[in-house]
């Protein structure tokens, strides 16, 4: 299946990936090949096979509604690249 | 050209659970920032979300209360997008198989009843909260608090079946009332535990095809939902009448400026690439589970309203006001069980009780005038101990001081004067001190009767039995008139 460079750019933006110009044709080719392989799977006769979203036949795995604290917020925050005043600090979200 | 508005509402409700939807972090509001977090809700690599059973229970309860069909199998999906308050880079939500579908909420506007369809109810996790720039510190930064990340949410989507801002408001109010009755959420719009977005489009009256819609956001009160929609109807009507096109997109409501403004969005913003959440197995709900939840459903607002009309013989309007909140309905019923007189109790609760609660911004449970006290005061009116006018004073005193009505009447000497002799003396005094008015009356200006009643009541400081004043005054005046002729 043919994937255009424009589609590659769109997917890269959604994934927040920056691609060098010379990477784009390579990505287009590889993504196309992956889709070709999926198309091959589509040739299988799945008539009478229930669609599934999970590989294991399990349902209804729950936890009861109880509070459990295993970590201190500050310890978890220790690995954040930037923090201040008890908050995770990130580049400004809203443009000016 | 005449246009018809087509409105659908998307309501997000925080579900009342103790812990988050996929981890054991508390959902408590108002904790210090990032205290209620763990590797699961922070989206650390390798962690496994596990679904909170109670969140499903409360979702099912809502589905039953709104007449939805519960899907025997539902599953979770990942909704992918990047935003700093969404640590995993996706929100766990439900997509093609929601918890429940096809319900309804009944509304009544302008005397007409109508069912508004519910398209679907699904469960999802809430995102965190961002504070921007100088509101906390560095103007070039934003700050993120993940305490709310992973708090269970229910999204309730209506069909586009409302045709006026009033209908939308009524739908929202009735939905909120149901959610409060079944105790699944606090439904506080100001605090954000109930949030509402509205889709609205216009079409020429009679046309079936829908017009281009806009989505309104940021309406944080019921009044604002109605105002924002009214404004948007006006804006779209104006555009269409001038031959201009509606631009599809999201608009933010600005309550201070009373207008909606377009949110600039990137084109790909809605490319969420949903796919089944591999970390969560599907949820299968069987009839036993549904039956168990059904047993926990209380009497719902609509049923209670009907019962109030038939059981207490009060007008439908009264029943509607009294049953809008479950606790007010309980208050009313307790009062009537003690004092009888359903219509009189209704007048007091709808009028003075609700007014004071609003003034004091408190709930009926916190109110110092308990049903017992109100009933006791109403009992004093019906037994003639106090007049209706004095009762107003007693009520104000009760709500200000929290005292018992009997004690107030005794302390302040408010008991009604029903002693005929005492009233006769007062009436005599009034007539004696108003000779001019008396002459005019005798000459035929009978409307002055009310003047004398007022004067006598004033002399009695409002405590005289009004029907006795009337009776005695009538006797005296007709005798005086008779003498002259």
């Amino acid at each position: 299946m043919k994937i255009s460079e424009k589609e590659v750019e769109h997917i890269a933006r959604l994934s927040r990936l920056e691609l060098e110009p010379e990477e784009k044709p390579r990505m287009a080719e590889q993504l196309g090949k992956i889709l070709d392989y999926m198309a091959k799977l589509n040739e299988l006769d799945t008539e009478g096979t229930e669609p599934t979203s999970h590989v294991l036949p399990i349902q209804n795995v729950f936890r009861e509604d109880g509070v459990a604290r295993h970590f201190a917020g500050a310890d978890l925050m220790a690995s954040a690249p930037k923090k201040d005043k008890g908050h995770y600090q990130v580049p400004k979200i809203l443009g000016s | 050209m005449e246009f018809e508005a087509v409105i659908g509402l998307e309501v997000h409700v925080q579900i009342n659970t103790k812990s988050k939807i996929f981890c054991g972090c508390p959902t408590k509001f108002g904790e210090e920032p990032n205290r209620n977090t763990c590797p699961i809700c922070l989206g650390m690599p390798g962690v496994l979300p596990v679904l909170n059973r109670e969140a499903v229970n409360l979702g099912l309860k809502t589905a039953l209360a709104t007449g939805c069909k519960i899907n025997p199998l539902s599953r979770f999906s990942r909704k992918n997008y990047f935003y700093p308050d969404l640590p995993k880079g996706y929100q766990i939500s439900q997509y093609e198989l929601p918890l429940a579908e096809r319900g309804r909420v009944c509304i009544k506007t302008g005397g007409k009843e109508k069912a508004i369809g519910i398209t679907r109810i699904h469960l999802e996790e809430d995102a965190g909260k961002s504070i921007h720039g100088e509101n906390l510190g560095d103007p070039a930064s934003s700050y993120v608090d993940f305490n709310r990340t992973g708090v269970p949410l229910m999204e309730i989507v209506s069909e586009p079946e409302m045709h006026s801002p009033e209908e939308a408001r009524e739908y929202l109010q009735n939905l909120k009332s149901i959610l409060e009755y079944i105790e699944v959420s606090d439904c506080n719009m100001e605090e954000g535990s109930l949030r509402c977005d509205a889709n609205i489009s216009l079409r020429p009256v009679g046309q079936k095809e829908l017009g281009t819609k806009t989505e309104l956001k940021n309406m944080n009160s019921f009044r604002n939902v109605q105002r924002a929609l009214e404004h948007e109807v006006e804006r779209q009507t104006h555009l269409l009448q001038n031959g201009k096109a509606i631009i599809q997109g999201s608009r933010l409501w600005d309550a201070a400026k009373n207008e909606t403004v377009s949110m600039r969005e990137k084109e790909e913003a809605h490319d969420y690439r949903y796919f089944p959440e591999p970390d969560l197995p599907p949820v299968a709900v069987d009839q036993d589970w549904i039956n168990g939840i059904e047993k926990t459903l209380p009497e719902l607002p609509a049923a209670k309203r009907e019962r109030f009309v038939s059981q207490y013989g009060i007008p439908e309007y009264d029943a509607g006001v009294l049953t809008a909140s479950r606790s007010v309905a309980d208050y009313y019923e307790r009062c009537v069980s003690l004092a009888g007189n359903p219509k009189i109790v209704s007048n007091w609760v709808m009028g003075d009780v609700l007014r004071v609660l609003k003034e004091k911004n408190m709930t009926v449970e916190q109110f110092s005038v308990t049903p017992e006290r109100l009933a006791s005061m109403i009992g004093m009116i019906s037994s003639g101990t106090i007049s209706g006018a004095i009762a107003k004073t007693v009520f104000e005193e009760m709500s200000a001081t929290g005292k018992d009505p009997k004690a107030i009447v005794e302390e302040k000497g408010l008991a009604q004067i029903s002693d005929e002799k005492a009233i006769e003396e007062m009436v005599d005094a009034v007539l004696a001190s108003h000779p001019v008015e008396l002459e005019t009356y005798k000459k035929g200006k009978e409307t002055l009767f009310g003047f004398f009643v007022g004067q006598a009541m004033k002399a009695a400081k409002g405590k005289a039995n009004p029907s006795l004043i009337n009776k005695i005054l009538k006797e005296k005046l007709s005798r005086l008139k008779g003498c002259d002729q």
Side-chain angles (χ1 to χ4, degrees):
Chain A
M1 193 179 280
K2 190 112 181 74
I3 294 285
S4 70
E5 279 191 34
K6 231 181 141 98
E7 282 168 309
V8 170
E9 282 166 15
H10 175 66
I11 295 162
R13 188 158 50 236
L14 286 174
S15 316
R16 302 297 188 272
L17 292 174
E18 262 177 66
L19 297 180
E20 298 299 331
E22 65 271 19
E23 288 176 305
K24 289 176 192 169
R26 203 171 80 222
M27 286 298 149
E29 196 200 327
Q30 290 183 357
L31 287 172
K33 279 187 178 156
I34 292 169
L35 289 175
D36 285 342
Y37 183 66
M38 297 313 283
K40 202 177 177 74
L41 288 179
N42 275 340
E43 288 169 18
L44 279 174
D45 179 10
T46 54
E47 202 48 44
T49 308
E50 278 286 306
T52 179
S53 55
H54 293 83
V55 286
L56 299 173
I58 45 170
Q59 304 172 326
N60 292 355
V61 177
F62 298 115
R63 38 174 286 275
E64 298 309 318
D65 181 27
V67 169
R69 281 189 201 269
H70 300 296
F71 296 88
D75 291 347
L76 292 165
M77 204 179 277
S79 55
K82 254 187 140 180
K83 57 215 166 253
D84 192 21
K85 301 185 174 73
H87 288 74
Y88 291 84
Q89 191 175 353
V90 298
K92 187 159 188 181
I93 299 167
L94 298 175
S96 48
Chain B
M1 197 187 290
E2 280 278 324
F3 292 102
E4 173 189 55
V6 180
I7 302 168
L9 296 184
E10 247 174 54
V11 175
H12 285 89
V13 192
Q14 271 182 14
I15 304 175
N16 275 341
T17 53
K18 295 189 210 73
S19 61
K20 291 186 177 180
I21 186 166
F22 299 124
C23 63
C25 289
T27 52
K28 221 172 107 202
F29 184 77
E31 288 255 26
E32 66 182 80
N34 292 302
R35 166 133 174 77
N36 298 345
T37 57
C38 75
I40 296 173
C41 54
L42 288 176
M44 303 275 187
V47 296
L48 192 67
V50 185
L51 182 57
N52 183 338
R53 186 195 302 271
E54 187 62 6
V56 182
N57 282 338
L58 296 178
L60 292 174
K61 202 172 175 185
T62 309
L64 291 177
T66 50
C68 283
K69 277 197 55 154
I70 290 163
N71 281 326
L73 197 75
S74 74
R75 68 171 168 239
F76 286 88
S77 289
R78 291 187 181 180
K79 179 180 181 177
N80 299 281
Y81 65 94
F82 283 107
Y83 205 75
D85 64 15
L86 187 75
K88 296 192 294 295
Y90 57 85
Q91 178 194 30
I92 302 179
S93 181
Q94 294 193 291
Y95 187 55
E96 79 282 25
L97 273 178
L99 192 66
E101 296 172 88
R102 280 171 288 139
R104 35 124 201 83
V105 166
C106 288
I107 62 166
K108 199 169 183 183
T109 48
K112 267 204 275 181
E113 206 149 333
K114 177 174 166 184
I116 304 297
I118 288 187
T119 316
R120 55 188 274 141
I121 296 180
H122 76 240
L123 299 175
E124 61 186 28
E125 56 179 344
D126 208 345
K129 204 179 82 186
S130 333
I131 303 174
H132 301 299
E134 54 281 4
N135 296 329
L136 189 66
D138 175 16
S141 290
S142 285
Y143 298 86
V144 192
D145 172 7
F146 292 116
N147 278 349
R148 210 179 61 186
T149 306
V151 166
L153 286 184
M154 202 161 39
E155 181 174 318
I156 304 169
V157 183
S158 88
E159 290 289 311
E161 291 178 345
M162 288 157 270
H163 297 299
S164 69
E166 296 91 294
E167 284 191 357
R169 184 188 171 138
E170 178 78 5
Y171 164 83
L172 197 56
Q173 237 145 15
N174 290 3
L175 178 63
K176 175 182 181 244
S177 178
I178 291 170
L179 297 172
E180 282 176 340
Y181 263 61
I182 62 176
E183 295 173 320
V184 298
S185 174
D186 300 336
C187 294
N188 188 327
M189 271 190 105
E190 282 80 11
E191 273 177 21
S193 59
L194 186 152
R195 292 164 235 160
C196 174
D197 298 334
N199 286 306
I200 171 164
S201 63
L202 297 187
R203 65 181 171 196
V205 172
Q207 182 182 303
K208 255 203 124 61
E209 201 184 316
L210 292 171
T212 307
K213 69 177 178 186
T214 56
E215 187 182 12
L216 305 185
K217 293 171 175 289
N218 197 36
M219 304 167 289
N220 65 350
S221 72
F222 286 82
R223 211 175 102 71
N224 275 325
V225 170
Q226 186 171 348
R227 278 175 61 202
L229 285 167
E230 278 165 358
H231 170 272
E232 189 61 12
V233 169
E234 241 171 72
R235 193 188 69 88
Q236 291 191 11
T237 305
H238 186 77
L239 284 172
L240 292 172
Q241 274 170 345
N242 288 287
K244 289 182 186 149
I246 309 291
I247 298 163
Q248 179 155 357
S250 298
R251 303 183 68 84
L252 275 184
W253 167 246
D254 186 332
K257 289 189 187 150
N258 200 23
E259 64 179 26
T260 62
V261 280
S262 173
M263 287 168 75
R264 275 164 302 158
E265 282 172 299
K266 292 196 181 98
E267 243 171 83
E268 69 268 27
H270 288 303
D271 197 345
Y272 292 130
R273 294 149 296 143
Y274 282 97
F275 63 86
E277 166 59 86
D279 288 342
L280 290 164
V283 176
V285 182
D286 60 14
Q287 198 55 45
D288 275 358
W289 192 353
I290 296 175
N291 292 346
I293 299 289
E294 201 140 35
K295 283 195 197 111
T296 67
L297 279 182
E299 183 183 33
L300 295 172
K304 206 184 270 289
R305 194 170 59 231
E306 272 176 40
R307 179 169 65 78
F308 274 25
V309 171
S310 61
Q311 184 177 340
Y312 300 120
I314 54 174
E316 211 170 301
Y317 173 79
D318 293 37
V321 174
L322 295 171
T323 57
S325 138
R326 186 176 170 182
S327 49
V328 171
D330 289 346
Y331 180 96
Y332 171 77
E333 287 208 277
R334 174 92 186 118
C335 241
V336 173
S337 76
L338 295 167
N341 291 313
K343 178 56 186 157
I344 291 172
V345 174
S346 165
N347 291 346
W348 279 97
V349 175
M350 287 200 307
D352 298 77
V353 172
L354 290 182
R355 172 182 53 82
V356 172
L357 291 180
K358 201 171 173 194
E359 279 167 13
K360 300 195 172 191
N361 192 23
M362 55 165 61
T363 66
V364 74
E365 290 96 334
Q366 302 166 315
F367 194 31
S368 61
V369 183
T370 58
E372 288 73 19
R373 288 190 174 142
L374 184 62
S376 152
M377 188 196 81
I378 290 170
M380 283 193 276
I381 307 173
S382 25
S383 69
T385 311
I386 54 171
S387 67
I390 286 295
K392 296 270 175 196
T393 313
V394 176
F395 183 83
E396 292 310 320
E397 190 70 16
M398 277 199 292
S399 56
T401 62
K403 281 188 190 160
D404 181 79
K406 290 205 165 103
I408 293 170
V409 168
E410 206 159 297
E411 249 171 54
K412 305 219 154 198
L414 294 172
Q416 180 162 263
I417 304 167
S418 294
D419 174 3
E420 293 208 21
K421 233 181 141 145
I423 295 178
E424 216 178 313
E425 278 165 23
M426 276 184 252
V427 168
D428 283 339
V430 164
L431 294 178
S433 57
H434 295 89
V436 183
E437 286 84 356
L438 187 56
E439 271 318 300
T440 325
Y441 180 86
K442 283 201 233 163
K443 281 181 194 140
K445 198 168 177 215
E446 298 200 350
T447 47
L448 276 172
F449 186 80
F451 167 78
F452 292 122
V453 173
Q455 290 300 314
M457 198 47 118
K458 202 170 153 196
K461 298 197 177 76
K463 291 185 294 185
N465 182 328
S467 57
L468 275 179
I469 294 189
N470 268 307
K471 183 180 139 233
I472 292 168
L473 194 59
K474 217 171 254 172
E475 283 168 11
K476 295 232 172 237
L477 287 171
S478 66
R479 219 177 304 146
L480 283 169
K481 246 178 138 176
C483 293
D484 275 11
Q485 279 159 6

